[in-house]
Each structure stands twice: as C-alpha cells, then as structure tokens.
Amino acid sequence: TCIVKLNEDGSVSVLTGATDIGQGSSTVVAQVVAEVLGLSLNDVTINAGVDTDFTPVDPGTYGSRVTFYSGNAAKMAAEDAKKQIVELASKIFKVSPEEIVLHDRRVFPKANPEKAWRMDALIRHSEHKMGKESKSIIGKASYDSGVDFIDFKTGKGNISPAYTFAADVVELEVDPETGRITVLNAVGAHDIGKALNPVLCAGQLDGAWIQAMGQVFFEELHRDKKDGHVLNPSFLDYKMPTSMDIPLNNTHIFVESIDPNGPFGAKEVGEGASVAIFPAIGNAVYDAIGVRITDLPVTAEKVLKAVKKKKEQEG
C-alpha cells in the first residue's frame, strides 16, 4: 500500500511501508512517483517504514520483491493523485482530461503549453480557491500480484509473480602449489525487466556476486557433532570476504525484457544475480584442475586434496 500527498509548495510526500535496507528502494519508489507526476526526484520526500502508526502496510523487505510490489503500489497511488490533478486542470483550462500534461513541475493543455500553471499554484488553488469543492490532493493505492503467497508451514505457494534469469561466465586461475583460487574476470547477463536506476542495479549486482563469492570461497559454519553447538560463532572464525579478498573485474549486461506486470517494466535485481555465479565458478575450477569440488566452500585445502587424489589415481 502507498499514499501520495501533494503539498502546497508542489512537492510530494510519500508514505510507504517498504523499508530501505541499503538496496535503494526508497530512491526507486521516489523515482516512480516523480515520473508519473512530472516532477523531479528532489520534489519527492519518502517516509518509508519509519513508524507503523502512520505508514501503510507492507509485507516486508525480502524475496527481491520490493521494487515490484511497492513500486507498483507507488505508481498506482501516484496515478490516483495525477487523475485528481488532471480533473482539476481540465476544468481550469476548459479542455478534456486527455489533453492535460504534467511535465517539469508544470501542468498545461497539450496544445497550449504557454498557459501552464506551476504545480504548487495548482495545489494551492485546489486547497483554498475552490470554495466548497476545495480539497487536498492525496492518492492512495494497494497492489496485490494475485499469486497465492507461500505457506511457510507447507512450503507451497509463490513468493513473486516475476522471476529474473542470469547467465554468468567466469575466468579464474588456480595455483597448483597452494590451491589458491583467484577470480580474474566475470561477465553476467541479467534479465531484470527494466533498469529503473542503472547505478543502483549495478550496485545490487556487484553485491550479489560478492555475497555469493563469500559463500563459495569463505563462509562455513562448523558445529559440534554431539550437541550441535556452533564452533565458530564470531567473525574472527567465521570468515567473510573483504574488499581485499575479491579482486573481481566484473561486467554486468542488462537484458531489459520489460516485464508486463512490473512498474514501468521492472523486475527484481539482486538476489537472483547470485544464483548462476556458483556453478560458473565451480565449472571454471573444474576446467582448471580437472576435478569437481562438490561442496562449499571451495577452499585451497580442498583443491590441493582433490589435485593430489587425482595424481594418485592417474599414477
């Protein structure tokens, strides 16, 4: 659910329950609203998930679905507000609603842009100059994909109405003396629907790859076989990659398939990108040493043992 309120200065306040946890969802929601209303990104203020007393309901930030679900709700709410603006402007300009254009913080009839009203002037007119018909412009909308949401008890259902696809190629080298693996280059083609914000998309894809490589090369949980206690419960012993551990020259290719149900054709970009990098690295290691490592993480110790075992079998 999303609420879009037009303010007297022509700016917009957006209320959404979607919480930005670093992926840039607040930026994307603001972009969607600005695009619909013909405003700039600076005109939009996001109130996102800060207090459930006044932000509307949102199912949560997970499953690579915020842009799809909350973006759609924001687009529909902005369109609701736009419809009210258009109805007001059509009365002022005495033209049909189809002739009204919202662009660059202005509202005008398509055939006579020189007659434009500033958005702030139009909002003040709506709130103060129309007598009994005066009103604030507030758009509201809820989006439901229509899919049967997952039942966590049975594991059946669907988490999203749209899925991304990826194809990754990895070039790496393996030191036969130490077993150390160095990723030299990686190229990925990602079907993301439409890149609403290419910079954020690239950041999400970088993060997905780095996170995946942490699982491929470093992260491993050790438990006591008798009582199940975790034996490496701190980041001192549970290794994660730093910027020095991922010497990755990566290239991302956006495949913009334009999803018919996403906001302006967008789908998720992030978690889905990590899926193909696992087998790509595994296949590259196999190509380098001729042995498959079938469990994660792929450590130098496992590589050396696999190479040694192969030599013994061949010898």
Side-chain angles (χ1 to χ4, degrees), residues 87-97 99-100 109 115:
E87 289 175 352
L88 172 61
S90 67
K91 294 177 182 178
I92 293 173
F93 297 120
K94 294 181 172 55
V95 298
S96 67
E99 295 296 310
I100 300 299
K115 293 184 178 181

Side-chain angles (χ1 to χ4, degrees), residues 203-265:
Q204 282 285 91
L205 293 171
D206 283 343
W209 273 5
I210 292 171
Q211 199 170 17
M213 288 185 179
Q215 189 173 351
V216 171
F217 295 124
F218 298 95
E219 299 180 47
E220 185 173 19
L221 197 65
H222 296 286
R223 294 181 181 273
D224 187 293
K225 293 182 179 180
K226 292 182 178 180
D227 56 24
H229 285 172
V230 176
L231 300 177
N232 56 336
S234 75
F235 290 135
L236 180 66
D237 301 307
Y238 183 91
K239 302 299 182 182
M240 296 175 67
T242 69
S243 59
M244 300 300 291
D245 299 311
I246 306 293
L248 179 64
N249 296 316
N250 52 12
T251 301
H252 299 297
I253 301 169
F254 298 158
V255 181
E256 296 188 301
S257 56
I258 314 300
D259 190 274
N261 298 313
F264 297 108

Side-chain angles (χ1 to χ4, degrees), residues 107-219:
V107 183
F108 53 87
K110 188 184 302 182
N112 295 290
E114 68 279 358
K115 293 184 178 181
W117 280 38
R118 296 194 317 272
M119 183 68 80
D120 59 328
L122 191 72
I123 299 305
R124 287 195 297 272
H125 181 83
S126 176
E127 292 182 342
H128 306 297
K129 300 293 181 63
M130 296 180 63
K132 292 182 179 180
E133 295 185 5
S134 295
K135 69 169 186 175
S136 295
I137 306 260
I138 300 175
K140 297 181 292 181
S142 296
Y143 172 75
D144 184 351
S145 67
V147 300
D148 292 328
F149 196 66
I150 191 168
D151 184 333
F152 290 104
K153 291 183 178 179
T154 64
K156 296 181 179 180
N158 203 341
I159 204 97
S160 176
Y163 290 85
T164 57
F165 302 89
D168 295 344
V169 178
V170 171
E171 180 185 17
L172 54 77
E173 63 181 18
V174 180
D175 187 331
E177 299 297 324
T178 65
R180 179 182 175 84
I181 301 170
T182 302
V183 177
L184 303 175
N185 295 289
V187 178
H190 311 278
D191 165 24
I192 60 174
K194 173 66 178 178
L196 299 185
N197 188 313
V199 174
L200 286 179
C201 288
Q204 282 285 91
L205 293 171
D206 283 343
W209 273 5
I210 292 171
Q211 199 170 17
M213 288 185 179
Q215 189 173 351
V216 171
F217 295 124
F218 298 95
E219 299 180 47

Side-chain angles (χ1 to χ4, degrees), residues 267-285:
K267 296 197 291 187
E268 76 91 13
V269 51
E271 290 175 301
S274 66
V275 177
I277 202 73
F278 291 97
I281 291 174
N283 287 339
V285 171

